[in-house]
Amino acid sequence: MSPTDGPSAAPPATRMPVTRRPIERIKAMIAEGRLRPGDRLPTERDLAHEFEVSRSSMREAVRTLTTLGVLEVRHGAGVYVSSLRPADLLETFSVLAEISQGDTLIEVLQVRRMLEPAATALAAARATDAQLERVGAILDRISSGSGGRETVAADLTFHQAIVQITGNATLAAINEGLSSRTFNARVWRGHCADGQAARLRQDHERIYQALLARDPDAARAAATMHVMEVERWLRADLETATAEEAAAPGAAEAG
Amino acid sequence: MSPTDGPSAAPPATRMPVTRRPIERIKAMIAEGRLRPGDRLPTERDLAHEFEVSRSSMREAVRTLTTLGVLEVRHGAGVYVSSLRPADLLETFSVLAEISQGDTLIEVLQVRRMLEPAATALAAARATDAQLERVGAILDRISSGSGGRETVAADLTFHQAIVQITGNATLAAINEGLSSRTFNARVWRGHCADGQAARLRQDHERIYQALLARDPDAARAAATMHVMEVERWLRADLETATAEEAAAPGAAEAG
DNA sequence: GCACCGAACTGATCAGACCAATCGACGCGA
DNA sequence: TCGCGTCGATTGGTCTGATCAGTTCGGTGC
């Protein structure tokens, strides 16, 4: 065990960076329930005094906890404990999808291939009529679009809406983090260029039909096929990019 | 769509907080590949000058990106782009498991119930002899322990080792984020108190046997059973806690 | 009773100083 | 020549205090 274990295993006091003390203490207070969602913390100035650090350091601590989704800062109004809902705590997740390239994108898709089929099956079993109607409306927006921004946005919304039907906010937040606008835009652009946008539309239609039929098995299969289609495209795209890179290094993103 | 969409949809320039500009620009440079893993950035002072912000603000930006796992700072040495591996970018993930309570823990387990069976099945199909040997050694550490720290640590390692066999680092990082020492400790303590620690050991043994047999279906089933056992315990534990809370509000954690 | 305004509060940003860890050049001694 | 310690320059870490910019809320006047 490392000497830094435990929230307040004080004795050794391994000279942790000053900024870290407030972070750990506040996190611990929240984990222990002494601070609850929506609670307001003292002002930055008071906190700094309480933890015996300068205001700059206190601000860095607050910023860290804000980035983690644990705290919320309102200019002029104060620092508050966030709702602590999964969506808050997993907001940072999106950087993975934003920044990842190449092999990591494949890995991300493999994870989605584990989650989305299970989620879609669950949704098929639980969906209410109103929820299905909403999904149908989103599907119309995908179909009526021409592969541009609208379509990409609708596509993302489509999958999010389905995952939300499961009622599992954590699952929804994770799945949302595994998708990204930019990646989805690439997928659509690629399919349109190959004249295969119909494939994507058909995938979505099949998923929707499975939901309508409230058939979990069909939903699972349809979702699996869809993710696999995206994965198939990505693998092909990566190969092309690699080949172009080899032919003309450093100019892969042109056009 | 909100007016703040897009990384550099410049024209409106919606007066974003000063600190945010460097964050978005650096993130964009990384996403575009202009900054690569291991690259060193200019000093904080130079960066501040370049982005026309004060050093304090620049520091907050760097701090944010560090928290997100995108950058790495070495005291006295400089600021570097992290390896950008999933494990870096998903480090923040652990706060979810650390802080979550009640219903969110159930949700987390439901996600694990989607991931771990799939991962274990994949591991069964891919495991090498050396990897299996390592898992077996870890299993011995679980069995020889008595439910204390050692056991809990070995338990976590056991599952992580299996997921790592899949070769999917993103999956491994996500799954690790969905587990936490404190939660696992609670599970073991609870099972020991009920005299049911044998259940957990048997679950692990079954998973291991399925891996040895390189039987994905058996592995999937065994992993599912294991997560369900933990979920069963958690639901019972939550009910008990709720009941005690109702009887003696505010004293649930005593003893 | 209500809309408006301003003072007090609180976070956001800035500036400059000094502390602490790192790294590399230099020089001493084996 | 090689090895190692020292010292100074570089760079992140922390502190202080001032000023800018939203929020809140109570008072003021219609």
Side-chain angles (χ1 to χ4, degrees):
Chain A
M1 201 185 352
S2 100
T4 60
D5 270 347
S8 57
T14 346
R15 299 193 20 73
M16 59 169 73
V18 179
T19 309
R20 192 168 149 186
R21 199 180 352 161
I23 296 179
E24 298 302 331
R25 297 231 339 236
I26 292 178
K27 228 195 308 186
M29 286 175 71
I30 291 176
E32 295 165 12
R34 281 189 289 160
L35 280 174
R36 308 181 67 82
D39 280 0
R40 181 181 166 176
L41 275 66
T43 70
E44 290 184 346
R45 291 166 175 88
D46 291 344
L47 283 172
H49 186 262
E50 180 178 342
F51 290 116
E52 297 178 298
V53 299
S54 75
R55 203 183 150 210
S56 336
S57 300
M58 194 60 229
R59 266 187 70 76
E60 290 207 4
V62 169
R63 172 160 278 279
T64 299
L65 290 168
T66 303
T67 305
L68 291 174
V70 171
L71 296 183
E72 246 173 48
V73 174
R74 300 182 211 157
H75 190 168
V79 183
Y80 297 79
V81 179
S82 84
S83 74
L84 298 183
R85 277 194 288 258
D88 294 312
L89 301 176
L90 295 178
E91 213 170 346
T92 67
F93 206 81
S94 59
V95 290
L96 177 72
E98 273 178 49
I99 287 186
S100 296
Q101 297 166 340
D103 292 342
T104 302
L105 283 178
I106 299 271
E107 290 188 0
V108 168
L109 280 180
Q110 283 178 348
V111 177
R112 283 179 57 182
R113 188 164 141 193
M114 297 177 183
L115 288 180
E116 288 201 31
T120 310
L122 202 54
R126 291 188 180 176
T128 67
D129 290 344
Q131 289 170 327
L132 290 179
E133 202 170 322
R134 175 155 177 262
V135 173
I138 300 168
L139 187 59
D140 287 342
R141 275 174 34 213
I142 301 182
S143 304
S144 63
S146 54
R149 269 173 202 276
E150 311 284 322
T151 310
V152 173
D155 182 2
L156 278 170
T157 313
F158 178 75
H159 290 100
Q160 283 167 22
I162 292 174
V163 177
Q164 275 167 10
I165 292 178
T166 65
N168 187 325
T170 304
L171 175 61
I174 291 177
N175 201 68
E176 188 172 340
L178 294 175
S179 317
S180 87
R181 248 173 283 269
T182 57
F183 177 68
N184 255 39
R186 274 179 62 195
V187 174
W188 277 97
R189 213 183 314 134
H191 276 77
C192 287
D194 300 346
Q196 299 188 325
R199 277 205 197 188
L200 293 179
R201 294 178 205 283
Q202 192 185 40
D203 282 353
H204 289 136
E205 181 64 28
R206 280 174 172 164
I207 292 173
Y208 179 55
Q209 290 302 330
L211 292 177
L212 278 184
R214 293 196 165 73
D215 183 337
D217 286 334
R220 182 188 310 274
T224 304
M225 286 297 105
H226 180 50
V227 179
M228 286 182 70
E229 163 61 18
V230 176
E231 187 178 335
R232 178 201 66 76
W233 169 84
L234 176 60
R235 285 185 189 278
D237 188 63
L238 287 178
E239 269 181 32
T240 309
T242 309
E244 283 181 6
E245 185 76 8
E253 275 293 315
Chain B
M1 214 187 301
S2 96
T4 59
D5 271 345
S8 58
T14 349
R15 293 189 27 70
M16 59 170 73
V18 179
T19 308
R20 193 169 150 185
R21 201 182 351 164
I23 296 178
E24 297 302 331
R25 296 229 340 234
I26 292 178
K27 228 196 305 186
M29 286 174 71
I30 291 176
E32 294 165 12
R34 281 190 288 160
L35 280 175
R36 307 182 68 82
D39 281 0
R40 181 181 166 178
L41 276 65
T43 71
E44 290 184 346
R45 291 165 174 89
D46 291 345
L47 282 172
H49 187 261
E50 181 178 343
F51 290 117
E52 297 178 297
V53 300
S54 73
R55 197 183 153 208
S56 330
S57 300
M58 194 61 229
R59 268 188 68 77
E60 291 206 4
V62 170
R63 174 127 203 119
T64 300
L65 290 168
T66 303
T67 304
L68 291 174
V70 171
L71 296 184
E72 246 174 47
V73 256
R74 301 182 212 156
H75 190 170
V79 182
Y80 296 79
V81 178
S82 84
S83 74
L84 297 183
R85 277 195 287 262
D88 293 313
L89 301 176
L90 296 179
E91 212 169 348
T92 66
F93 206 82
S94 58
V95 290
L96 178 72
E98 272 178 48
I99 287 187
S100 295
Q101 296 165 341
D103 291 343
T104 302
L105 282 178
I106 299 271
E107 290 188 358
V108 168
L109 280 180
Q110 283 178 349
V111 176
R112 283 179 57 182
R113 189 164 140 193
M114 296 176 182
L115 289 180
E116 288 202 31
T120 310
L122 202 54
R126 291 189 180 176
T128 67
D129 290 343
Q131 290 170 326
L132 290 179
E133 202 171 322
R134 175 156 179 262
V135 172
I138 299 168
L139 186 59
D140 287 341
R141 274 173 37 211
I142 300 183
S143 303
S144 62
S146 55
R149 271 171 202 275
E150 311 281 325
T151 310
V152 173
D155 182 1
L156 278 171
T157 313
F158 178 76
H159 289 98
Q160 282 167 22
I162 292 175
V163 177
Q164 274 168 10
I165 292 178
T166 65
N168 186 325
T170 304
L171 176 60
I174 292 177
N175 201 68
E176 187 173 341
L178 293 175
S179 318
S180 87
R181 245 172 283 270
T182 57
F183 177 68
N184 256 40
R186 275 179 61 197
V187 174
W188 277 98
R189 213 183 314 137
H191 275 77
C192 288
D194 300 347
Q196 299 190 325
R199 276 205 198 190
L200 293 179
R201 293 178 203 284
Q202 191 184 41
D203 282 353
H204 289 135
E205 181 64 30
R206 280 175 172 165
I207 292 174
Y208 180 55
Q209 290 302 332
L211 291 178
L212 278 184
R214 292 197 167 73
D215 184 337
D217 286 335
R220 183 189 309 274
T224 304
M225 285 298 103
H226 179 51
V227 179
M228 285 181 71
E229 163 62 19
V230 176
E231 186 179 336
R232 178 201 66 76
W233 170 83
L234 176 61
R235 285 185 189 278
D237 189 64
L238 287 178
E239 271 181 31
T240 308
T242 308
E244 282 179 6
E245 185 75 8
E253 274 294 314

